[in-house]
Amino acid sequence: MSSAERQSVAVAEAAAPVPPLDRRTRKFTARRIGTVPWWFVVPALVFFLFVVLWPSVQGAAYAFTNWDGLSATKDFVGLAQFERLLKDPGGVGAVVHTLLIAFAITVVQNLIGLLLALGVHSKIKSRNILRVALFTPAVITPVATGYLWKYLMTPDGAINQILGFFGLGALQHDWLGDADIALWSIVATVVWQFAGYSMVIFLAGLQGVPEDVLEASRIDGAGPFRRFWYVVRPELAPAITINLMLSIIGGLKLFDQVWVMTSGGPGTSTDTMSTLIYKNAFQFGDFSYGIAMALVLTAFVAILSTAQYKLLGKQGGTK
Amino acid sequence: MHKKSLLALSVAVAAALGLTACSGGSSNAGAGAGDGKTLTLAATTNEKPALDAVVAKFKEQNPGVDVKYTTSALDQYQTTTRTQLSSGTAPDVVFVWPGDGNPMATRVVGKAGFLEDLSSQSWANSFPAGIKPVTQYNGKTYSASVTFSGIGAVYNMTAMTQAGLTPPTTWSGLLQFCSAAKAKGKTAFELGAQTNWVTQLIPYALTPTLVYGPNPNFPQDMTDKKATFSDSKWTDALNKYVEMQKAGCFQANPLGTDYNASLAAVAKGDALSVVQVNSAVAAISTQAPKGTELNMLPVPASDNVADTRMAGAAGSTYGVNAHAKNKDLAIKFVNFLESPEGMNLYAQTNKALPAVPNDAFKVDPALSTLQRYQKGGKTDAFMDQNWPNARVQQTLFQVVQDLLAGKTDANGALKQMDSAYTSGS
């Protein structure tokens, strides 16, 4: 099993509704947890502190300097790099593109993922093959996916050829070269890759929906939509929460596919905060400004994912 | 805060903060601690064929010496090598860009103190006037240019003959050539503008005739704030770019076509030419049917043939890491590269010209016009080599794409470049 598959299984298990523990089991679990010595966590904590947290804090400090990423000297400039971001028209555009991508991916990917999950949760014979086939794109590296779709989306590529073959020439486009649709072409690529990932998480949730409750609602005369809305949806709440959080965070941080497919172009029409961070830090030699942008992105991810988690938590999305 | 939300927040913060963890400072770790027999070197992927040849020759002339070299794609090379330099782990010899305007340019890296002063080497004063300044910072030589590169229209002469067309020599002739090619069902100039750096090549091919030839002091005038892009003939260059697009000189979707696809179209004969750097000659040759004749010629920008100039400048350039483990060996290698033997071998393999013209070099027929312009002093350095920061060139990439997409005009585009120029002055 690949690491991506293992991760998916772990997430799926987490998303599945947890049956209530009886009193004996709860006591036993509490006693076991209570007896675990606290210092068991120390090695991992020390590793996290010195390998992740401390270098990250050190790196973040450069956002308050004018270091170019190479020179031995640097000056403290306070919040000047953050002020630049507010005045940077490219920065504002990148923030808008990032939010559009995150919103579109979150909505479309989860909607398609849910529909796929409902489809392969049925009793059709080929459901296992379909599950594997639909999940497969998620195990391909995003860079490889980007190159693949970049090739398919060229003006003479397979997509336009197929459209032409079926007499749909009017729908042919320069998918990545047209500044008005390039952003959505990238979104489509990401959705294609990760809709199967969302599907697996929804599927785990669906498998926990009690059959007897569904049967009872059917006898009471509830149609498919009412059964989904009043019986299935509440049981899927944890899966929805996890899927939304993963897709929001993934959308906000999106870099690989954008860089491979358009590098932020044409012009700046697909620049995201991540591509702008990369350009400033590594192409312009404006390292401190790049770090300032990274900190703002950090704040974006933290605020949006926490707000979303809290919101869904209040609606019973967490257990 | 709920345990799960605290965990989610921690993960999100750690993930995004990871982006900020790439930092460092200067270090002398390991400087001069080498064995004197193993040379390390890093360059971009384009240089590999030439490096294979010169390294083999260098090892043949220096028995017992080993040369370990790595090559990587341009973006990756710049990122990695800057980090290695600042952390004291860079190889002994590093590929650098001539002049300025690039994160790994000679003046940027030399100013930061990571390049060895090579002014005392015998070759340091032998460069032609167009090359010498871009190997220097503050009057000292910090890099060694090995080749001379040019930008021009690379014609598939076999396809041209079949179409009954000849390369244009004037601007009016160029527009007529575009119409004639279109009438024959061919693209006159295939443009791979989806690849960022390709977008700059047509302005680079036009401005020597329009801007830098008539006013050789233009780069200095810009430095002295006496000139700007938007108040110069750069406006004509970008307007001519748009005129070419309107005249049907390019294929239907230049912004959806990348570098590789543009060369493939010329190799197949679907397009008659492509405005490119000289290395494209070798790349097209490998894809084209055997016997295909190629020729690299200037892109005319005026109707007076005598005014036409080409962009030609220092190409492959190397510097010695100031903290190299095997500094003596590194200097010895660079000296070999600067010898006529090393320079000619390198240029021959990479389909370029030697940085210092010499009679022993046998020029590829496709590059004979570029050589003639080089020897005749009718070339001007690539513009970015004299720009004060990398942002100007990146802005050019972006505004040309906007220009081709109809999202801006020449004046708006050049005002953005002026803004990028002053932001780093």
Side-chain angles (χ1 to χ4, degrees), chain B residues 139-350:
Chain B
K140 290 180 179 173
T141 301
Y142 285 99
S143 65
S145 288
V146 190
T147 63
F148 181 86
S149 298
I151 295 171
V154 180
Y155 291 92
N156 179 335
M157 296 306 290
T158 309
M160 291 279 280
T161 307
Q162 284 166 0
L165 297 171
T166 53
T169 54
T170 62
W171 174 249
S172 310
L174 182 143
L175 296 176
Q176 286 165 14
F177 168 70
C178 292
S179 305
K182 207 173 174 184
K184 301 268 182 188
K186 304 280 184 185
T187 300
F189 298 95
E190 188 79 8
L191 179 59
Q194 190 183 58
T195 304
N196 279 342
W197 61 267
V198 172
T199 58
Q200 69 189 326
L201 298 177
I202 289 180
Y204 277 24
L206 297 173
T207 49
T209 306
L210 297 171
V211 182
Y212 298 90
N215 179 13
N217 287 326
F218 187 75
Q220 190 58 46
D221 287 349
M222 284 204 74
T223 307
D224 298 340
K225 296 185 170 52
K226 291 178 188 165
T228 62
F229 289 114
S230 53
D231 282 336
S232 73
K233 294 285 184 184
W234 264 86
T235 316
D236 286 1
L238 292 197
N239 280 329
K240 283 182 189 293
Y241 206 155
V242 176
E243 206 177 336
M244 286 176 79
Q245 187 185 26
K246 285 180 179 165
C249 292
F250 312 133
Q251 77 281 15
N253 299 298
L255 289 170
T257 309
D258 68 6
Y259 165 77
N260 291 320
S262 69
L263 298 196
V266 178
K268 278 200 288 183
D270 293 342
L272 299 176
S273 72
V274 60
V275 177
Q276 263 296 342
V277 287
N278 47 281
S279 60
V281 172
I284 295 170
S285 291
T286 56
Q287 300 176 53
K290 207 172 179 184
T292 301
E293 188 192 341
L294 301 173
N295 199 3
M296 185 174 173
L297 299 170
V299 180
S302 85
D303 283 341
N304 187 352
V305 180
D307 289 347
T308 301
R309 299 174 68 84
M310 289 181 85
S316 305
T317 300
Y318 289 87
V320 172
N321 178 0
H323 309 303
K325 288 182 180 171
N326 291 295
K327 198 179 285 180
D328 291 343
L329 194 56
I331 293 173
K332 192 174 185 180
F333 180 77
V334 170
N335 286 343
F336 170 69
L337 287 180
E338 289 302 315
S339 68
E341 183 187 12
M343 196 176 274
N344 289 354
L345 179 60
Y346 198 108
Q348 205 87 56
T349 317
N350 250 19

Side-chain angles (χ1 to χ4, degrees), chain A residues 244-286:
Chain A
L244 290 184
M245 178 170 279
L246 289 176
S247 44
I248 282 179
I249 293 174
L252 290 172
K253 293 197 315 174
L254 194 70
F255 175 79
D256 296 10
Q257 292 93 333
V258 182
W259 194 251
V260 167
M261 295 175 79
T262 63
S263 301
T268 56
S269 60
T270 58
D271 253 335
T272 64
M273 288 190 74
S274 294
T275 60
L276 220 53
I277 289 167
Y278 180 83
K279 284 181 182 177
N280 277 286
F282 300 114
Q283 292 191 327
F284 301 162
D286 206 347

Side-chain angles (χ1 to χ4, degrees), chain A residues 110-263:
Chain A
N110 286 301
L111 206 57
I112 293 176
L114 180 58
L115 292 173
L116 292 175
L118 290 169
V120 297
H121 187 56
S122 60
K123 290 186 170 51
I124 54 171
K125 276 186 180 174
S126 56
R127 63 182 184 277
N128 286 332
I129 293 170
L130 281 173
R131 286 173 189 178
V132 172
L134 292 168
F135 181 70
T136 301
V139 299
I140 305 171
T141 62
V143 171
T145 310
Y147 277 116
L148 172 71
W149 279 91
K150 182 181 176 183
Y151 182 68
L152 295 174
M153 287 178 174
T154 55
D156 301 324
I159 292 177
N160 280 344
Q161 282 181 17
I162 290 168
L163 288 170
F165 180 79
F166 287 108
L168 300 169
L171 295 178
Q172 289 177 333
H173 276 96
D174 186 358
W175 301 102
L176 298 173
D178 183 339
D180 294 329
I181 58 170
L183 192 75
W184 308 115
S185 301
I186 294 168
V187 167
T189 303
V190 177
V191 169
W192 173 84
Q193 179 164 25
F194 292 111
Y197 191 87
S198 300
M199 176 199 76
V200 168
I201 298 171
F202 283 128
L203 198 56
L206 285 172
Q207 286 170 345
V209 179
E211 271 301 320
D212 49 350
V213 180
L214 277 173
E215 184 63 25
S217 63
R218 202 175 286 125
I219 292 167
D220 288 344
F225 179 76
R226 294 187 72 181
R227 277 205 306 279
F228 172 77
W229 194 254
Y230 293 109
V231 180
V232 177
R233 187 186 57 87
E235 291 296 329
L236 276 183
I240 293 171
T241 304
I242 287 172
N243 262 334
L244 290 184
M245 178 170 279
L246 289 176
S247 44
I248 282 179
I249 293 174
L252 290 172
K253 293 197 315 174
L254 194 70
F255 175 79
D256 296 10
Q257 292 93 333
V258 182
W259 194 251
V260 167
M261 295 175 79
T262 63
S263 301

